[in-house]
Amino acid sequence: MNRLRGLGVPVALFLGVVVVALLSTTGPAAVERLAVTGLVNLVLVIGLYVFVGNSGVWSFGHMSFALVGGYVAGLLALAARLKDQLLPDAPELVRELTAPPFVAVLVGGLVAALVAAVVAVPLSRIGGLAAGLATVSLLIALSVVAAQWQSVTRGQKGLSSIPTSTTMWVALAWVLVALLSAWGYQRSSFGVRLRASKSDEVAASAAGISVSVQRGVAFVLSGFLTGIGGALFALQLGSINPDVFYLDATFLIITMLVLGGAASLTGAVTGSIVVSVLAEVLRRTEGGSLFGLDVPARPGLADVVLGVVLVMMLLRAPSGITGGRELGTPRRRNHARATVTGTGLEPISVAGAPSSPVPHREDRP
């Protein structure tokens, strides 16, 4: 019963997302397509949150897993006859192996998780700025591989003619999977141990917690969900190239997480919705239209405003819009301010989890 009651937060968040998504269907078809893109971005934000929100270690290269998931799903979704034309020099297995959309997305996430598992071995042993720089190196390396592996990825031209299958309902279904996965993880013994190390890594290690192992588990799950998001995007757009998940996408997803509140799942969802709406309004303004009115075109306005908003939020409310709290959690009087440097994300007391830095005896490994 306690576990069922504990699902109230992700279910409530999902219902809120469903309401926003359904409202978009009342407008033009273009608005609905943007809503689907917003849902895919939400999966990516949740994927990043699983690692960052629980470990307190920032990753600036998570879009590399989205790139892997997107290419794998795209290759599996392409018909064999099309791959013979587009990728004549690809290995026989790549040209002949096909899968339905659901399997393609799932395999894309699994391959991304496999890459994350390999990277997690050295990455989980470092933290702070060093970890962030290491993940950036991963993003650059995989982008270069995608741009140069002509026989499989077609280089800078990318994959095209991918059958599109990411609809509103498909995206919503995967958002629900991501929400339940992230919530279940942070309430599990793995999540509790990792959150304990966020406040005091030395004390957590002294309590018997293997911080590197816990970070590795979170990193792999995070890579899986991020790969799912990349796969959904490839099957929505119908094409993918090395630049799709690079610096612009990285900045957007991190902005969503920071503005909402990187220390809570509620913050991840809130930030994703707010930034998606704000970014669309700014893009329309860039093109000279705002709520049906003609305004002076301002190219580049969206990036500038989002950057300014991000800086102001870091200065005035580093814990984000939600203050690092989950839905329905009352504000604590001695609520410490969080930072986004090093491992300074604020620990959260979640239902069923200890609020102190060191877990209780029964939560120790």
Side-chain angles (χ1 to χ4, degrees):
M1 289 299 294
N2 289 333
R3 289 184 178 274
L4 291 177
R5 284 195 295 267
L7 292 177
V9 171
V11 170
L13 292 174
F14 178 69
L15 291 178
V17 172
V18 170
V19 170
V20 175
L22 291 180
L23 287 175
S24 69
T25 61
T26 61
V31 176
E32 184 174 347
R33 288 194 296 270
L34 290 170
V36 175
T37 301
L39 293 173
V40 173
N41 286 337
L42 176 55
V43 175
L44 294 172
V45 174
I46 294 173
L48 180 61
Y49 160 77
V50 167
F51 179 70
V52 173
N54 290 289
S55 70
V57 178
W58 277 90
S59 170
F60 302 105
H62 252 58
M63 290 303 99
S64 57
F65 303 127
L67 190 68
V68 171
Y71 269 106
V72 170
L75 288 169
L76 288 175
L78 274 173
R81 59 178 180 81
L82 283 176
K83 283 189 279 190
D84 288 336
Q85 299 173 7
L86 297 174
L87 306 168
D89 299 326
E92 184 177 355
L93 180 62
V94 173
R95 287 187 286 110
E96 294 183 353
L97 191 60
T98 60
F102 172 78
V103 177
V105 171
L106 187 61
V107 173
L110 291 174
V111 174
L114 180 61
V115 174
V118 174
V119 176
V121 175
L123 186 63
S124 60
R125 299 179 181 277
I126 58 179
L129 181 60
L133 293 175
T135 56
V136 171
S137 301
L138 174 65
L139 175 62
I140 295 173
L142 289 183
S143 295
V144 170
V145 170
Q148 299 299 322
W149 200 359
Q150 295 281 345
S151 62
V152 175
T153 65
R154 300 186 71 222
Q156 288 290 352
K157 292 183 291 185
L159 296 177
S160 58
S161 302
I162 301 173
T164 56
S165 59
T166 303
T167 63
M168 175 77 73
W169 297 108
V170 169
L172 281 172
W174 280 110
V175 166
L176 179 59
V177 170
L179 284 171
L180 293 177
S181 299
W183 183 254
Y185 170 77
Q186 75 179 42
R187 287 173 57 86
S188 69
S189 59
F190 292 100
V192 170
R193 292 166 187 161
L194 184 57
R195 283 172 171 259
S197 70
K198 189 166 58 173
S199 297
D200 193 330
E201 185 176 339
V202 175
S205 298
I209 295 176
S210 177
V211 178
S212 61
V213 171
Q214 302 306 324
R215 285 180 180 173
V217 171
F219 197 73
V220 172
L221 177 58
S222 179
F224 171 74
L225 294 177
T226 307
I228 292 291
L232 291 173
F233 186 83
L235 298 188
Q236 178 204 3
L237 192 63
S239 64
I240 185 171
N241 63 67
D243 297 327
V244 170
F245 294 110
Y246 200 49
L247 297 182
D248 287 347
T250 298
F251 171 71
L252 179 64
I253 299 304
I254 290 179
T255 300
M256 289 178 174
L257 185 58
V258 171
L259 291 187
S264 70
L265 183 58
T266 303
V269 175
T270 302
S272 180
I273 295 174
V274 171
V275 174
S276 293
V277 174
L278 178 60
E280 179 55 25
V281 172
L282 292 173
R283 288 192 183 98
R284 289 180 180 273
T285 306
E286 283 183 350
S289 175
L290 180 62
F291 301 113
L293 301 176
D294 292 332
V295 296
R298 293 289 185 269
L301 179 66
D303 291 337
V304 172
V305 173
L306 286 177
V308 171
V309 170
L310 178 60
V311 172
M312 293 302 297
M313 181 62 72
L314 292 176
L315 292 175
R316 304 298 301 174
S319 297
I321 296 172
T322 62
R325 302 185 307 278
E326 295 294 357
L327 193 66
T329 303
R331 181 185 295 273
R332 292 176 296 179
R333 291 185 177 180
N334 296 326
H335 190 71
R337 293 182 61 177
T339 63
V340 295
T341 57
T343 57
L345 287 175
E346 181 190 3
I348 310 171
S349 176
V350 297
S355 57
S356 58
V358 181
H360 296 302
R361 185 179 302 275
E362 59 269 24
D363 290 321
R364 297 179 185 176

